[in-house]
């Protein structure tokens, strides 16, 4: 357990909307993010989980469930939220 999560964005393949196997997690506090980064290389369901700080803006593969590109302020997944 790292801390409270504010938002999760998952990368999807264009056209198929299949998950690519990575994404972004935004924590409510910097301390929670630091705890997560310190847990890099842990195993989740027999897969290695790499955790690092975000560098730059989201790539074009970050789409909501409706296929539209995710945009900050639009509410993320499917345009819901605030």
């Amino acid at each position: 357990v790292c801390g409270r999560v504010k938002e999760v964005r998952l990368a999807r393949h264009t056209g198929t909307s299949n998950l690519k196997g990575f994404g972004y997690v935004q924590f409510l506090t910097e301390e929670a993010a630091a705890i997560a980064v310190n847990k890099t290389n842990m195993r989740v369901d027999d897969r290695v989980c790499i955790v690092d700080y975000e560098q730059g803006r989201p790539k074009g593969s970050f789409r909501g469930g409706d296929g539209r590109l995710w945009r900050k302020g639009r509410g993320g997944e499917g345009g819901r939220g605030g």
Side-chain angles (χ1 to χ4, degrees):
V1 176
C2 301
R4 295 193 58 196
V5 172
K6 179 178 180 180
E7 180 176 49
V8 176
R9 293 176 282 151
L10 301 174
R12 296 180 180 269
H13 287 281
T14 305
T16 66
S17 291
N18 291 335
L19 294 174
K20 289 187 171 186
F22 67 93
Y24 286 96
V25 177
Q26 183 178 3
F27 291 93
L28 289 176
T29 66
E30 289 184 30
E31 292 81 14
I35 292 168
V37 169
N38 286 330
K39 292 185 177 194
T40 195
N41 293 321
M42 70 179 179
R43 298 191 79 75
V44 177
D45 289 335
D46 205 34
R47 295 180 70 177
V48 175
C49 185
I50 307 297
V51 183
D52 201 351
Y53 291 103
E54 177 180 10
Q55 302 293 323
R57 62 186 182 99
K59 307 292 185 224
S61 58
F62 288 94
R63 297 179 182 275
D66 60 0
R68 292 187 302 168
L69 285 175
W70 184 93
R71 285 186 177 71
K72 189 170 185 171
R74 195 186 88 185
E77 186 75 20
R80 296 180 301 275

